[in-house]
Every structure is written in C-alpha cells, then in structure tokens.
Amino acid sequence: SAMIQFEAEANENGNRNVDEQYVDVSGAFGKLRMGEKSGIFESFAVRAPDVGEVSPDDTVSVWLNQNTGMNLTTGSMDTTYDDDSLRVSYVTPSFYGFSAGVSYAPKPSGNLADRRGAGVPTGDSFRDEVQFGMALDTELAGVGVKADGVAMTEAADNDSWAYRGGLELSYAGFAVGGSYMGNEGKDFRDASVWEAGASYTTGPYAVSFTYAESDALDDGTSYKLAGAYEMGPGVKVVGNVFYANIDEDSTGNYRSGMGAVTGLVLSF
C-alpha cells in the first residue's frame, strides 16, 4: 500500500505541503515501510489513555504558546517523538502478542549536524538515527494489555540516547496506564517526561483524565480532563479542559494557564 498526506504549512523547510509519503509492504515476513514517516519510537508507543485528541504537549506548546520544539534538544511534554523524516522501518509478525521492530533514518551528507540541516527533503529533525524495540498487544484473563519499550540512538555516534516505555491495562470499558521517556547524551538534551491517566468508555461516550510532568521544561506540568462522543461512523466530537504551568519558560518567566478546547474529528 502507498500513502501520501497533505497538510497546510507542512514541511515549511522544504517548501512543500507533503506531510507524509511512504510505501508499506506486508506479508508473512512482517511489514516493511519506506518513506517519510515516523518510526517505531512513535508507532510502538503506548500512551496514557486520552480521548480528547489534544496531547499534553499541545496544552503547553500551543495553548500556553511555549514552543517546546518537539525535538531532542529542547524537550517536550509528550513521551514520544512524532517525526516524519525519511526512513525505513521493519516490524516482525506478532508472536503471542509480541512484535519487534527497527527503524533507520539515513544521513544525507556531511556530519551528524546535517540530520537537522540543509539538504534534507522534509526539513525534519532526525538523521543518521536508529530506533529499535518491542511491543505487546494481548489479552490476559479478559484484561487487555498493551506495552512497549523502545530506544533511539545515533548510528554513527551512539553517545546520545532517547528511550521510552509504556503500559496500558483495560477491562470492561475502563483503561489505566502511563508512559515514560528519557533523553541523555551530548546531542540529546538530558531530560525526562512521564504521564499517567485513566479513561472510561460506554457506548458512544468516553471520558479521560491525564497528567504529565516534564523536567525538560523546567518542571512543566499538565492536567487535562477530556470527553468524546461518537456521533456516527467517522464523526466524533471532543472536548478538553486543562491547566498547565511551566516554572521557567524560554524567556525565564513563570507561565501558567487554564483553557478549554473543543473540536470535530472526521476520519475516513
């Protein structure tokens, strides 16, 4: 299968509006993906239950107008990196719910700094980087279990690492879980972020509460209550009420605020 996704103002560094473009090849051997798409660090990620379509990082970077950058050098309120760099990924077939995977984003030319610089088609962040890890998606005694453990490092210089893990348990409409991510090394900012949450779904209705905390933002925190209603196939109304604060933002000032975000989600 092939996928091309267009978004307004996507890939501004490359002067194009193509957000994602990739090809999947699947079979008994597993799945091979090639193109501009996030790797297993994102696709394997198990996050805290959240029905509101607004991430903890959104409450800070968008609604408090504190640009976290969503990259390895400035940190994030989320426990993964969603980066559509040019890469190749391979995921094994599932075995008793377990699967393993690896992703590689090549370096176009020059030194390691080029993975964030000129000559990269999409202008995204990650170059000459390897991701590897495992994921679990199964059911035990009627309890759904999802988990992951993934690491990421530079292929040519593995002194810098990012690593994450997550766990979610679900039963009879209830779900609880959380995740953690850490960065360390000379090219990645030494920082960590974690989140925890719970949700309940009954019929077309769902509600969740999520808490996130990051020392990458000088002790930033986010509290979010969310709800969702499935109006019909592919149509969902969501709402979020949140409070977030940063002890010290990029200008050296304390920043905090409350807000509410609603929206209509369409999927085809």
Side-chain angles (χ1 to χ4, degrees), residues 157-173:
D157 186 352
N158 60 9
D159 289 335
S160 300
W161 290 83
Y163 42 88
R164 61 149 287 115
L167 174 65
E168 179 189 291
L169 304 176
S170 58
Y171 179 78

